[in-house]
Amino acid sequence: MKKQEMIELLTGVRSSKQNYYTELKTTVEELKKRNSQLELMNEVMRSFNMNMSVQEMLEKTLKRLGDIYPIKRVSLALFDGKELRLSYVSPEEALYLKKGTPFPHKNSLYYEVFATGQERIYQKGDTCEFLEKEAFQQLSLQSVFLFPLTSRGKIIGVLSLGGCSPFSYDANDQAFLLHLAGQIAVCVENARLYEEVFAGKQQWEETFRAVSDAILIISPNGTVLSKNDAAVSAWPLEDFEDIRPFIQEASRSANNPFEETVKSHKPHYAELRFQNKFYDCSCYPLFGEEAALHAVILYSKDVTEKRQMEAQLLHSGQLAAIGEMAAGVAHELNNPLTAIIGNTQLLLRRNKINEQIKPLLDDIDLCGKRCRTIIRSLLAFSRQEEFAFKPCSLNQAVTEALSLTRRQIEKQNIQLDIRLADSLPLINGNLQQLSQIAVNLLINAKDALEEVTDRKRKLIIETAADQQSAFLKVIDNGSGIDAAIANEIFHPFFTTKAASSGTGLGLPVSFGIAKSHGGRLFAESIQPHRTIFTLSIPLLNERL
Amino acid sequence: MYKFVMPEIIFGSGSMKHTGESCTRLGAKRVLIVTDEGVTQAGWSDLVETSCREAGLASFLFSNVSINPKDKEVESCARAYLDYECDALVGVGGGSAIDTAKAAAVLATNGGHIRDYEGVDRISSPLPPLVMVPTTAGSGSEVSQFSVILDTDRQKKMTIVSKSLVPDIAVVDPDALSTKSSYLTASTGLDVITHAIESFVSVAATPLTDVHAKNALALSSRYLRPSVASKYNKEAKEQMAMASLHAGLAFSNAILGAVHAMAHAIGGRYPFLHGDINAVLLPHVMEFNLLASPDKFKEIASLMGEDVQSLSPSAAGEKAISFVKKLSIDIGAPLTLSEMGFEEAFIPEISETALADACMITNPRDITAEEVASLLRKAL
């Protein structure tokens, strides 16, 4: 240094006493910057809770960063398990490589940062050769900071901050940016986990909804926490309505599986009957923390049809056995009965009959005939008698039955409503047997209406058809069938009528005929005052 | 083009009582009083503490300062300042206490080691408020931009020069001089004369510094003898205090010369009194420098009260030199380095060190290491 310069320095022409105002200004500037950094950090952290997308978070970060540093572009490259790919860029138009482009393992600055975990700073004029250089030049980035994103000790990607002007930084800035990269890594990882959990939840919910049987999750106090679509139609509940009264009602004849499960913390099963439908119902306990009962899963399957089929099958089995036995008995009785009736008639034809004996003989004759009718019915029931099948119409059977019963019905002041379908498709059957069913059903209806005094007695007989079957329905407004005996009515010798008027064979015989025609006969009692007997016979071309 | 810097100055008998109030005016709340044992025993630090208390300040005492203050002392002083969470420094004492307070202030706000600031203009952050209360009439440090600290590792006095080292307020109370020994009065008085002469002939001297240098020289030439003679000569004390203040203002802005450069080099090696070394070296350096500015030396002789009207500048300069020699003899100052214990063997090393000293730059005559060595040999 020249002497003169040194003297100037010594005498202070070019220096002054350091001033606290300048110092203060510098401090304030630094504080402002620090404040912005903290705000930025805070914003990134807040985005964890606010379920902000990664793209949104990057945009906000860029906006804030731009206030502190000359940074114009932020991008994220994430490792997908196989490759490091360019995943997010903000602003979105600042693209050179396409999104999703994998970075090669050689000559790539990004991959180098990912592989080594060391941050890297590119400044314009960097002489190293690498793939991204062209992109940086195209995007006119003068300096680019690359930081590894580390989450739980694992490097998950690379954060890149690019500026269009050269960028001076100190150790504090670098520490801050590293810290920022750490926060972004956590945020990205959180977003990924959130998506995973969300997808898992959605899949589970779809599975839950796809089941066609009702599934309900019920808290121990009866509130339905969750239910699938099938449950909505099976259990007509308002939101947050207590389901327990419904279960209580449905489980009148069985254990209440819900209460049992709540009590015992074990799965329970019961068959429930609710609104004329049968449900196979299983309850499973769902445990929360510390093995406390959190909720009960109620799974109910509509088995109404299955139960009906089972009941019919059961009848068929019983009837077959009874039929075999009855046929044997009837056959054995037929011969002695012929002798009894024949001899009685021979005695009655004699002129000199003691006036005192005649009523007795008449009675024997009547009872003998009655026995013969029963035996014929039994034989018919057990198909001992073979009948020829030919195409016929249910309308015809109804007409024949009405010709036999109409007078009796009208005599009882019953309003008879006949609704025969026009052009009813033909069925293959035996007209005589089918009209016997119609007669049986009409007589039953007439008998059921006998006690009705408080309302107009009504009887409807109608025929109809669909694609598969022809139907005959007999509907009355009598007292209906008690649910307790609903299962019994098709059993032979079961009757509710006085012993003199009923044999208990009308319905079993009709059932047998329906079966021999490949059809079904069933009863529905819709409270109050509506009982429907339906005969369905397959159409001619439908019969297997 | 030149610049002149100086602190606020409070001068006068009893002004020391205003130290606390001065600190308050600078916004201080907790002050560290830096002093040495001698000053504490004389009661001056108590006086300053009292004034601080009366001004409502919390004050803490650091009295671990020795003659020729060392880097370690500066460090522990700075630590005390930070530990006590002080916000101002008060130096009470001679050059040692004041230089320690200044150097500790540098460390307190700039950090690092005091060695980092050796040289010119190395301080980057402003210092805490500094109030200086000199109790000797000599160092001028209470107004100067210098702090001289001994580097114990290198056995070298470091000269730190910075405008930031100029204190904020100097409280100059001549009453403080009444407790000084005659020996110390003589030594510091010769320092004042050296300051005055060196700054007057300095190549960086300006009309503003000349005013102070001349005043310092005239006052000290006249009042040093009576001041040494009696502790109770109030007028002599007051005039010497003023002389010291003038000299301080002069050399702070015009810098010094070869005497101080060599004195610093020797002071790094030997625990001699700074004023004593100056006293021995001054006549020899004056002889060497005479060639550079004879007119100025004629003016020096005139200011010393010599009748030089009819003399040539160099003859008048010789008169000034003999005046200094005579004064030293009169007031009992040492006359040779050998009598203080200086060893010749160190001359080459000390010459090199002196040549590199900041004060050497403003010496009026260009000088080489050999010339420094020969001057030292003459002073043996």
Side-chain angles (χ1 to χ4, degrees):
Chain A
M1 203 184 289
K2 289 195 185 117
K3 191 165 172 164
Q4 199 50 43
E5 280 178 38
M6 197 65 199
I7 290 167
E8 273 187 25
L9 210 57
L10 272 170
T11 55
V13 172
R14 284 181 298 179
S15 69
S16 284
K17 192 169 174 174
Q18 296 290 333
N19 187 314
Y20 258 107
Y21 178 67
T22 328
E23 179 82 353
L24 189 67
K25 271 202 300 189
T26 321
T27 312
V28 168
E29 285 300 316
E30 262 168 31
L31 283 175
K32 273 188 188 165
K33 182 170 163 186
R34 189 87 197 117
N35 212 24
S36 296
Q37 289 178 337
L38 286 174
E39 274 177 29
L40 171 62
M41 208 63 92
N42 191 27
E43 201 142 307
V44 173
M45 303 242 273
R46 214 171 40 207
S47 64
F48 303 166
N49 312 330
M50 289 189 356
N51 183 22
M52 202 188 278
S53 77
V54 174
Q55 183 68 37
E56 249 180 293
M57 185 269 294
L58 272 196
E59 271 159 28
K60 293 214 167 183
T61 305
L62 177 61
K63 199 163 158 282
R64 283 271 180 199
L65 264 181
D67 295 342
I68 318 172
Y69 300 108
I71 286 176
K72 295 278 174 269
R73 178 182 183 271
V74 178
S75 79
L76 274 185
L78 298 178
F79 184 63
D80 66 359
K82 282 185 192 143
E83 299 287 351
L84 181 70
R85 290 177 195 279
L86 183 61
S87 306
Y88 298 96
V89 176
S90 177
E92 287 189 88
E93 61 278 7
L95 269 179
Y96 178 74
L97 296 170
K98 273 186 191 155
K99 266 193 204 177
T101 311
F103 291 97
H105 296 200
K106 274 184 183 165
N107 295 330
S108 162
L109 217 53
Y110 280 65
Y111 195 84
E112 182 192 312
V113 172
F114 173 73
T116 60
Q118 292 294 316
E119 64 263 31
R120 178 83 153 75
I121 294 150
Y122 159 84
Q123 298 277 22
K124 198 187 174 185
D126 195 323
T127 50
C128 282
E129 276 312 312
F130 51 86
L131 177 89
E132 293 88 351
K133 204 169 195 169
E134 199 184 324
F136 291 165
Q137 280 163 0
Q138 286 288 324
L139 294 164
S140 53
L141 298 177
Q142 301 244 359
S143 41
V144 179
F145 281 64
L146 297 169
F147 294 97
L149 293 176
T150 312
S151 175
R152 284 177 230 154
K154 241 175 70 187
I155 300 174
I156 59 164
V158 175
L159 168 72
S160 139
L161 307 171
C164 296
S165 51
F167 180 125
S168 66
Y169 59 94
D170 58 22
N172 280 343
D173 295 324
Q174 201 165 351
F176 162 73
L177 292 172
L178 256 178
H179 188 192
L180 179 70
Q183 295 295 358
I184 289 179
V186 175
C187 185
V188 167
E189 186 68 0
N190 265 32
R192 194 182 63 75
L193 288 175
Y194 178 82
E195 258 169 52
E196 242 172 51
V197 169
F198 186 74
K201 184 173 184 280
Q202 212 165 22
Q203 193 184 7
W204 162 241
E205 275 178 3
E206 271 163 22
T207 311
F208 180 64
R209 230 178 281 134
V211 177
S212 61
D213 299 319
I215 301 176
L216 298 105
I217 298 170
I218 308 160
S219 80
N221 70 10
T223 311
V224 175
L225 302 174
S226 174
K227 57 187 173 182
N228 66 358
D229 296 348
V232 174
S233 53
W235 298 86
L237 282 169
E238 299 291 323
D239 281 348
F240 307 114
E241 198 179 342
D242 193 344
I243 198 175
R244 286 176 300 181
F246 292 87
I247 300 177
Q248 189 60 42
E249 189 195 330
S251 56
R252 269 166 314 183
S253 54
N255 289 332
N256 183 329
F258 178 77
E259 298 297 348
E260 296 276 335
T261 301
V262 170
K263 234 186 286 168
S264 68
H265 290 198
K266 279 179 185 160
H268 275 273
Y269 162 84
E271 185 172 296
L272 302 185
R273 191 160 170 219
F274 186 65
Q275 292 181 338
N276 277 335
K277 294 212 169 192
F278 295 93
Y279 295 98
D280 260 358
C281 178
S282 303
C283 286
Y284 306 94
L286 189 64
F287 297 107
E289 275 169 33
E290 290 172 7
L293 185 72
H294 167 65
V296 172
I297 300 169
L298 187 145
Y299 172 88
S300 75
K301 185 175 175 69
D302 184 346
V303 291
T304 312
E305 253 179 67
K306 192 175 156 211
R307 286 286 167 277
Q308 283 175 347
M309 294 288 276
E310 276 171 3
Q312 294 226 341
L313 277 174
L314 190 65
H315 291 166
S316 309
Q318 284 173 336
L319 293 180
I322 292 164
E324 261 174 57
M325 186 193 77
V329 173
H331 199 74
E332 290 303 321
L333 287 178
N334 215 12
N335 291 339
L337 198 57
T338 307
I340 291 167
I341 294 168
N343 290 342
T344 311
Q345 284 180 346
L346 281 174
L347 283 173
L348 279 169
R349 268 182 215 143
R350 287 193 185 164
N351 294 330
K352 293 183 245 170
I353 297 176
N354 189 331
E355 284 302 317
Q356 282 180 313
I357 291 167
K358 189 165 185 284
L360 299 175
L361 287 172
D362 280 341
D363 208 17
I364 291 168
D365 183 44
L366 197 67
C367 288
K369 280 178 178 159
R370 185 169 148 80
C371 285
R372 192 173 58 192
T373 312
I374 292 171
I375 284 162
R376 276 202 188 138
S377 295
L378 277 173
L379 286 170
F381 168 71
S382 61
R383 298 184 61 194
Q384 286 289 306
E385 293 174 78
E386 289 298 328
F387 293 95
F389 277 43
K390 50 188 173 192
C392 60
S393 162
L394 276 182
N395 282 354
Q396 237 178 312
V398 172
T399 313
E400 279 193 22
L402 280 173
S403 70
L404 290 170
T405 56
R406 190 173 200 140
R407 253 193 78 244
Q408 294 179 55
I409 291 167
E410 282 170 353
K411 214 165 74 186
Q412 267 193 39
N413 277 329
I414 293 168
Q415 182 192 315
L416 181 63
D417 192 353
I418 303 157
R419 302 173 182 170
L420 298 186
D422 297 333
S423 65
L424 193 68
L426 294 182
I427 54 168
N428 194 29
N430 181 283
L431 191 60
Q432 196 192 336
Q433 282 191 310
L434 290 174
S435 60
Q436 195 188 339
I437 293 177
V439 167
N440 284 342
L441 295 180
L442 284 168
I443 295 298
N444 281 350
K446 176 197 72 107
D447 290 346
L449 287 167
E450 204 167 356
E451 296 155 13
V452 175
T453 52
D454 58 337
R455 57 186 179 270
K456 184 87 185 125
R457 297 168 177 173
K458 282 185 186 168
L459 198 161
I460 303 165
I461 182 157
E462 64 176 31
T463 55
D466 64 12
Q467 297 296 311
Q468 289 91 35
S469 308
F471 300 99
L472 166 64
K473 287 190 187 213
V474 176
I475 304 161
D476 67 63
N477 66 342
S479 51
I481 303 161
D482 194 343
I485 59 161
N487 284 332
E488 309 285 326
I489 56 173
F490 291 104
H491 286 180
F493 308 114
F494 177 86
T495 182
T496 56
K497 299 176 189 176
S500 57
S501 59
T503 60
L505 283 168
L507 282 176
V509 166
S510 302
F511 188 90
I513 295 169
K515 215 181 126 199
S516 71
H517 280 73
R520 294 172 64 205
L521 176 65
F522 52 93
E524 288 169 88
S525 194
I526 299 166
Q527 301 292 353
H529 319 314
R530 192 170 161 87
T531 305
I532 308 169
F533 277 84
T534 307
L535 169 70
S536 81
I537 304 290
L539 297 182
L540 190 56
N541 48 353
E542 288 291 326
R543 193 165 172 203
L544 297 172
Chain B
M1 186 169 56
Y2 46 83
K3 181 181 257 194
F4 190 91
V5 287
M6 62 185 287
E8 291 179 20
I9 297 166
I10 303 174
F11 186 92
S13 173
S15 58
M16 209 189 281
K17 286 182 198 137
H18 296 274
T19 310
E21 186 197 326
S22 298
C23 292
T24 316
R25 240 178 276 123
L26 293 171
K29 295 260 159 46
R30 298 161 72 84
V31 298
L32 185 68
I33 299 168
V34 182
T35 187
D36 62 49
E37 284 304 328
V39 173
T40 309
Q41 274 161 24
W44 300 121
S45 57
D46 276 356
L47 190 69
V48 169
E49 271 193 293
T50 308
S51 86
C52 285
R53 197 165 50 245
E54 281 169 359
L57 297 166
S59 65
F60 306 90
L61 196 68
F62 181 86
S63 60
N64 196 13
V65 176
S66 59
I67 299 174
N68 297 323
K70 294 161 191 67
D71 47 8
K72 302 282 188 296
E73 291 160 14
V74 170
E75 277 168 30
S76 55
C77 181
R79 208 171 305 122
Y81 174 85
L82 295 172
D83 287 350
Y84 293 131
E85 298 179 343
C86 294
D87 52 13
L89 280 142
V90 175
V92 184
S96 301
I98 294 174
D99 278 1
T100 303
K102 286 177 170 186
V106 172
L107 294 189
T109 54
N110 288 261
H113 190 277
I114 194 64
R115 194 182 294 143
D116 304 338
Y117 306 97
E118 184 183 4
V120 183
D121 218 10
R122 308 281 294 274
I123 295 166
S124 56
S125 292
L127 308 190
L130 297 173
V131 175
M132 297 306 168
V133 186
T135 59
T136 63
S139 76
S141 186
E142 69 277 9
V143 294
S144 81
Q145 56 163 329
F146 287 76
S147 175
V148 180
I149 302 295
L150 183 71
D151 183 334
T152 45
D153 290 347
R154 292 184 291 163
Q155 291 202 334
K156 176 176 183 270
K157 271 193 165 180
M158 298 175 286
T159 305
I160 304 161
V161 189
S162 168
K163 295 283 165 292
S164 294
L165 286 173
V166 176
D168 296 286
I169 298 177
V171 180
V172 184
D173 188 343
D175 294 355
L177 306 184
S178 63
T179 55
K180 260 200 320 182
S181 67
S182 64
Y183 177 67
L184 192 58
T185 306
S187 178
T188 54
L190 282 165
D191 196 17
V192 173
I193 290 176
T194 311
H195 288 156
I197 294 173
E198 287 217 282
S199 61
F200 188 60
V201 301
S202 159
V203 295
T206 70
L208 279 176
T209 60
D210 284 351
V211 171
H212 294 290
K214 284 193 236 176
N215 274 324
L217 200 52
L219 288 173
S220 53
S221 301
R222 195 172 156 196
Y223 289 103
L224 181 54
R225 281 188 182 90
S227 182
V228 172
S230 168
K231 281 187 183 181
Y232 309 106
N233 187 336
K234 228 180 156 195
E235 195 204 352
K237 298 292 173 200
E238 196 163 312
Q239 295 303 337
M240 277 312 293
M242 183 54 85
S244 171
L245 183 58
H246 276 304
L249 292 170
F251 87 77
S252 176
N253 290 283
I255 321 297
L256 295 157
V259 179
H260 271 81
M262 288 152 78
H264 289 157
I266 294 167
R269 174 64 65 183
Y270 295 104
F272 304 153
L273 276 178
H274 176 62
D276 287 357
I277 310 171
N278 283 347
V280 175
L281 293 174
L282 183 60
H284 302 289
V285 174
M286 283 170 83
E287 269 166 16
F288 179 76
N289 281 344
L290 187 54
L291 193 67
S293 49
D295 289 337
K296 281 215 163 179
F297 277 100
K298 186 177 177 182
E299 219 177 332
I300 288 169
S302 167
L303 289 163
M304 285 168 168
E306 299 288 318
D307 183 4
V308 291
Q309 201 120 35
S310 55
L311 295 177
S312 68
S314 51
E318 294 297 342
K319 281 258 183 191
I321 295 161
S322 53
F323 178 91
V324 171
K325 284 181 176 167
K326 177 86 174 24
L327 181 62
S328 289
I329 294 165
D330 288 352
I331 61 175
L335 301 175
T336 63
L337 292 174
S338 308
E339 71 182 89
M340 288 190 277
F342 184 82
E343 294 142 292
E344 196 178 352
F346 286 114
I347 287 179
E349 184 193 322
I350 283 172
S351 305
E352 288 296 333
T353 312
L355 203 62
D357 194 278
C359 294
M360 200 59 105
I361 294 158
T362 49
N363 194 62
R365 184 173 170 183
D366 295 348
I367 195 164
T368 62
E370 287 73 35
E371 284 164 334
V372 175
S374 85
L375 285 173
L376 284 171
R377 260 180 226 107
K378 277 187 193 167
L380 275 172

